[in-house]
């Protein structure tokens, strides 16, 4: 049996688990049964793919099943690119299932989640394995519908129903764009197998249209601005472990779809395609993190942060397209490797952060940071691993977020060698946007951790909180370790990515295992290098020595004193910084163009004991610019067309006759 055929047994087993969950979903042991089975299946798939990457990284395995279109069949293929994304999907699926063993016990209606969870995992696996357009689109739509059902698990909440509706509309729009893209790739012959598309080489106009459609189709699922409207609604609405899968894994499947078509099936890129992807990626990164900074809902903050990281990945992919189009394979390999590395890293720390948010929600029943605070005393382990996730996503050494974003900036530094002046100007400008996004991300997660875990409890729910179950803690601890290992030993990850880069770019980064002291060297040691292990050792030793000398020589006794009360005599929790006040300086700088922000102050009458009130009004510019006019036009059209329901039978017959005449005229005039 080929490796591809063996891997197809995994989605089949997951679908069987989904059917079993539909039958036993209301049973008391269903939660552990379903998540345990999903954990075992995902771990088995991970082991198979990891073995393939270790032993035969360049080998291609394919299988065709007698399903799907009669003249094509259902084709599935395992190569370097699909193997890497299968690692991302199944590693994330296994750890999420481990988390679900504990978190799922708190689910009020598990029968609405359990059948669709393994189906969602199966859909993502099938998308990555698909080797023809029909199988890809069918798996893509199955993945979308399964995730929609998970978003609608708590459907009695009006906000969740709205989120599910918007997600379904955007998913349908994305699938339509993908269908049109594959139609253009298939050409007049109508061959939907990827092997035939790979050999077709479409013209420049068709290639440009395919790129635009892939940005719409895959970009809407990934969360590119302005197609991101569904993401901050749907991800928080789902159960927290499903939010981790959607944000940390499903968005990566969308990136896989974009890479598969644009870097593999579409042929050699034009230099301007890099400009388009670069600008969209940079804009997405900045606007995503600005929206995250304005949020006080912890899960919405994390959802908007996903948009920022997707922007970083697409900016790096745009760089790879620009370098590849200009026959600069070494720089293209660097940019492409940086994008893949950040895909892996984001799946680690974003899943970890959503798990942490889920632990906070389980312990307190709150997502609003304004009602949290002081949780470091009641959830010490959760606080520590959440801090690891915050440091990682803020791109601070020695954790993994720094390693991949450092590679992105190293690729940007190769831009002066590009021949087009447009790229010479745009690439540094996008680099500045990514640097701004990185700084804002650090501020955002200082706010997220500080307001949620530090200070004093702002509500009674926090006072009653206690640490979550051991399964959830184990899953978060595993991801925290991965964040550290990928940061201090990035060379091992880069070397594992080399076969993928070589197959699509034609070049790969230098072998990092050969570098002394486990350093990584993107181009040449004379230009730049980074050693995460030495940075980690230096930080550990420095912090330990500082703590020792402070405790040994600065003081021999514990001293307690009143904390600064911000001018208030009574140390009340309400006098602390809030999420909104923390973001005020940044809101006043960027709010005018990013949110059309407006602040109003309501002052009480002289002598009144009523408090003054500050009201902040923020607007989603993308929603109001693009989506509200469309929904308004649809409402207007449906109201007018609604009159057709109340016509008499004679008028219906007249309309049918007129349509028939028009159809005959069209057929007569058709050349």
């Amino acid at each position: 049996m080929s490796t591809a055929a063996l891997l197809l047994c995994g989605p089949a087993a997951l679908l069987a688990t989904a059917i079993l969950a539909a039958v036993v979903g209301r049973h008391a042991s269903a939660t552990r049964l379903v998540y345990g089975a999903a954990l075992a299946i995902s771990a088995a798939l991970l082991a198979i793919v990891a073995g393939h990457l270790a032993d035969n990284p360049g080998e291609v395995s394919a299988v065709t099943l007698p399903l799907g279109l009669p003249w094509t069949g259902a084709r599935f293929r395992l190569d370097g690119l699909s193997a890497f994304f299968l690692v991302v999907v199944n590693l994330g699926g296994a750890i999420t299932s481990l988390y679900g063993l504990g978190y799922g016990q708190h689910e009020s209606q598990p029968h609405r989640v359990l059948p669709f969870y393994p189906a969602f995992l199966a859909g993502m696996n099938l998308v990555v394995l698909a080797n023809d357009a029909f199988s890809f689109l069918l798996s893509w739509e199955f993945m979308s519908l399964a995730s929609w059902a998970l978003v609608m698990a708590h459907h009695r909440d009006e906000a969740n129903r709205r989120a599910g509706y918007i997600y379904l509309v955007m998913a349908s729009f994305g699938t339509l764009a993908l269908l049109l893209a594959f139609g253009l790739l298939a050409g007049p012959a109508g061959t939907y197998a990827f092997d035939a598309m790979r050999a077709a080489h479409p013209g420049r106009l068709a290639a440009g249209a395919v790129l635009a459609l892939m940005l719409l189709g895959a970009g809407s699922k990934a969360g590119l601005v302005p197609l991101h409207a569904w993401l901050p609604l749907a991800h928080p609405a789902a159960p927290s472990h499903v939010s981790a899968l959607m944000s940390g894994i499903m968005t990566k499947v969308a990136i896989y779809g974009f890479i598969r078509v644009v870097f593999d099936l579409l042929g050699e890129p034009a230099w301007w395609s890099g400009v388009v992807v670069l600008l969209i990626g940079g804009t997405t990164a900045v606007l995503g993190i600005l929206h995250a900074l304005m949020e006080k809902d912890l899960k919405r903050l994390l959802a908007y942060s996903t948009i920022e990281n997707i922007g970083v990945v697409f900016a790096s992919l745009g760089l790879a397209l620009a370098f590849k189009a200009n026959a600069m394979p070494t720089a293209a390999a660097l940019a492409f490797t940086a994008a893949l590395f950040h895909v892996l890293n984001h799946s680690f720390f974003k899943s970890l952060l959503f798990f942490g948010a889920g632990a906070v929600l389980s312990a307190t029943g709150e997502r609003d940071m304004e009602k949290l605070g002081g949780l470091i005393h009641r959830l010490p382990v959760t606080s520590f691993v959440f801090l690891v996730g915050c440091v990682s996503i803020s791109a601070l050494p020695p954790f993994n977020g720094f390693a991949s974003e450092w590679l992105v900036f190293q690729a940007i530094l190769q831009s002066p060698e590009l021949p087009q002046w447009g790229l010479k100007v745009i690439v540094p400008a996008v680099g500045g946007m990514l640097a701004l996004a990185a700084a804002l991300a650090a501020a955002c997660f200082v706010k997220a951790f500080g307001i949620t875990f530090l200070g004093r409890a702002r509500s009674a729910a926090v006072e009653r909180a206690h640490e979550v179950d051991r399964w959830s803690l184990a899953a978060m601890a595993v991801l925290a370790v991965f964040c550290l290992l990928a940061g201090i030993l990035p060379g091992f990850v880069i070397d594992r990515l080399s076969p993928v880069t070589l197959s699509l770019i034609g070049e790969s980064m230098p072998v990092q295992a050969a570098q002394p002291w486990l350093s990584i060297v993107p181009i040449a040691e004379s230009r730049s290098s980074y050693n995460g292990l030495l940075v980690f050792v230096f930080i550990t030793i420095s912090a330990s020595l500082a703590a020792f000398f402070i405790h040994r020589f600065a003081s021999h006794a514990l001293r307690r004193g009143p904390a600064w009360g911000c001018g208030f005599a009574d140390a009340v929790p309400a006098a602390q910084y809030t999420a909104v006040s923390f973001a005020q300086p940044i809101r006043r700088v960027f709010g005018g163009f990013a949110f059309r922000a407006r602040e109003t102050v309501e002052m009480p009458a002289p002598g009144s004991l009523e408090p003054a009130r500050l009201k902040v009004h923020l607007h989603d510019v993308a929603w109001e610019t693009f989506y509200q006019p469309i929904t308004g036009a649809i409402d207007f059209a449906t109201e007018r067309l609604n009159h057709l329901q109340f016509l008499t039978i004679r008028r219906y017959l007249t309309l049918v006759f007129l349509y028939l005449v028009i159809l005959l005229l069209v057929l007569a005039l058709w050349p």
Side-chain angles (χ1 to χ4, degrees):
M1 181 183 291
S2 66
T3 307
L6 184 61
L7 286 172
L8 286 177
C9 297
L14 287 168
L15 291 175
T17 305
I19 296 172
L20 176 64
V23 175
V24 303
R26 296 180 184 272
H27 196 273
S29 61
T31 295
R32 295 204 170 182
L33 175 64
V34 172
Y35 288 120
L39 170 59
I41 296 167
S42 297
L45 289 172
L46 177 63
I48 295 170
V49 177
H52 176 84
L53 282 175
D55 299 334
N56 307 294
E59 181 182 335
V60 175
S61 175
V63 63
T64 302
L65 302 180
L67 303 170
L69 297 176
W71 59 90
T72 301
R75 298 172 180 241
F76 299 94
R77 183 174 186 259
L78 177 69
D79 58 9
L81 180 65
S82 56
F84 167 71
F85 277 92
L86 283 174
V87 168
V88 174
V89 169
N90 289 293
L91 181 58
I95 297 175
T96 304
S97 300
L98 177 63
Y99 183 86
L101 285 170
Y103 183 84
Q105 302 295 328
H106 307 290
E107 181 62 49
S108 59
Q109 295 179 308
H111 61 279
R112 296 190 179 278
V113 176
L114 295 179
F116 303 106
Y117 177 82
F120 184 31
L121 291 175
M124 290 191 288
N125 276 281
L126 289 172
V127 169
V128 177
L129 284 169
N131 195 35
D132 67 88
F134 180 81
S135 300
F136 184 96
L137 289 172
L138 185 64
S139 303
W140 182 279
E141 195 68 2
F142 183 78
M143 173 187 73
S144 300
L145 289 173
S147 56
W148 169 80
L150 290 167
V151 169
M152 292 291 289
H154 302 151
H155 66 283
R156 297 186 187 279
D157 188 329
E158 173 63 28
N160 289 3
R161 291 199 299 272
R162 179 172 180 267
Y165 174 74
I166 293 174
Y167 176 42
L168 193 62
V169 170
M170 292 299 296
S172 302
F173 169 77
T175 303
L176 175 62
L178 291 176
L179 177 64
L180 295 175
F182 285 126
L184 288 174
L185 284 170
T191 305
Y192 291 100
F194 283 176
D195 294 332
M197 293 180 183
R198 199 174 283 114
H201 304 298
R204 287 188 175 275
L205 185 60
V210 170
L211 175 66
L213 289 168
M214 289 306 300
L215 286 170
L216 292 174
S220 64
K221 184 71 72 180
L224 289 178
V225 172
L227 305 169
H228 68 288
W230 67 273
L231 194 148
L233 300 174
H235 287 202
S240 295
H241 61 308
V242 176
S243 301
L245 270 185
M246 294 179 69
S247 195
I249 310 300
M250 187 183 72
T251 55
K252 310 309 176 298
V253 176
I255 292 171
Y256 164 80
F258 180 83
I259 294 174
R260 175 62 74 192
V261 172
V262 174
F263 283 84
D264 186 18
L265 306 183
L266 205 52
E268 289 299 315
W271 69 269
W272 55 262
S273 63
V275 174
V276 174
V277 179
L278 261 171
L279 289 174
I280 292 175
T283 304
T284 297
V286 173
L287 290 180
I289 199 60
L290 281 173
H291 276 283
L293 266 164
M294 300 302 115
E295 282 296 331
K296 62 179 183 177
D297 184 311
L298 185 57
K299 289 183 71 175
R300 279 177 63 89
L301 180 150
L302 295 177
Y304 273 119
S305 168
T306 293
I307 297 171
E308 181 248 341
N309 282 275
I310 293 299
V312 173
V313 173
F314 270 87
S316 194
L317 291 175
L319 274 173
L321 286 172
F323 288 132
K324 186 179 180 183
N326 285 289
M328 298 172 61
T330 303
L334 171 59
F336 190 77
T337 302
L340 294 183
F341 195 8
H342 201 68
V343 162
L344 180 66
N345 287 338
H346 183 253
S347 72
F348 290 161
F349 53 66
K350 186 50 61 69
S351 298
L352 171 58
L353 290 168
F354 266 112
F355 289 169
V360 170
L361 182 59
S362 296
T364 65
E366 290 289 347
R367 293 179 354 199
D368 188 349
M369 291 186 287
E370 309 282 83
K371 298 178 182 178
L372 299 173
L375 285 172
I376 194 170
H377 304 293
R378 294 163 181 84
L379 308 177
V381 180
T382 299
S383 301
F384 176 75
V385 293
F386 195 90
L387 177 61
V388 170
C390 290
V391 174
S392 300
I393 201 171
S394 300
L396 297 175
F399 290 93
N400 57 346
F402 176 83
S404 53
E405 292 200 26
W406 182 78
L407 288 179
V408 174
F409 286 106
Q410 293 303 310
I412 290 171
L413 293 176
Q414 310 305 312
S415 63
E417 300 177 21
L418 290 165
Q420 294 88 7
W421 277 101
L423 284 170
K424 287 179 182 288
V425 173
I426 289 171
V427 173
V430 172
M433 296 170 72
L434 295 183
L436 173 63
L440 292 173
C444 178
F445 284 93
V446 167
K447 169 185 129 175
F449 184 81
I451 302 299
T452 303
F453 292 98
L454 303 182
R456 301 179 64 189
R458 296 179 175 85
S459 66
V462 176
E463 299 284 357
R464 298 189 298 268
H466 56 82
E467 192 60 271
V468 293
D469 59 274
R470 64 182 186 277
W471 299 107
S472 301
L473 293 177
M476 292 188 284
V478 169
L479 286 173
V481 171
F482 283 163
C483 288
L484 179 62
L485 289 178
I488 64 176
L489 301 172
F492 291 101
V493 180
I494 293 171
D495 286 343
R496 298 287 81 76
L497 294 175
S498 291
V500 185
T501 306
L502 185 63
S503 65
L504 295 175
I505 303 297
E507 184 63 80
S508 62
M509 286 180 60
V511 178
Q512 304 300 313
Q515 303 300 327
W517 296 96
L518 299 177
S519 299
I520 57 171
V521 178
I523 302 293
E525 194 170 3
S526 58
R527 292 193 178 188
S528 60
S529 63
Y530 169 70
N531 192 304
L533 182 60
L534 289 182
V535 171
F536 173 68
V537 171
F538 174 77
I539 291 174
T540 303
I541 294 176
S542 300
S544 300
L545 288 175
F548 171 77
F549 280 106
I550 289 172
H551 286 285
R552 177 68 178 83
F553 299 107
S555 173
H556 296 286
L558 181 66
R559 291 177 294 179
R560 293 185 180 274
W564 180 55
C566 303
F568 291 87
D570 297 326
V572 294
Q576 301 177 101
Y577 259 88
T578 64
V580 174
S581 62
F582 189 97
Q584 185 187 59
I586 296 172
R587 183 177 67 245
R588 288 182 172 175
V589 172
F590 297 100
F593 80 92
F595 318 106
R596 297 175 187 162
R598 184 167 54 89
E599 296 181 0
T600 57
V601 179
E602 296 179 358
M603 295 297 296
S608 173
L609 298 179
E610 292 293 322
R613 298 187 182 277
L614 172 67
K615 292 186 178 180
V616 179
H617 305 275
L618 300 176
H619 300 268
D620 190 332
V621 178
W623 178 266
E624 294 178 357
T625 303
F626 295 100
Y627 298 102
Q628 279 189 353
I630 294 174
T631 55
I634 292 173
D635 288 342
F636 177 82
T638 52
E639 287 179 6
R640 297 298 180 272
L641 293 173
N642 190 48
H643 296 297
L644 294 177
Q645 297 184 61
F646 307 104
L647 298 179
T648 63
I649 186 64
R650 287 179 293 177
R651 292 192 177 184
Y652 280 128
L653 291 173
T654 303
L655 285 176
V656 171
F657 177 73
L658 289 175
Y659 291 149
L660 182 61
V661 170
I662 293 171
L663 179 60
L664 291 173
L665 285 174
V666 170
L667 291 175
L669 297 175
W670 192 267

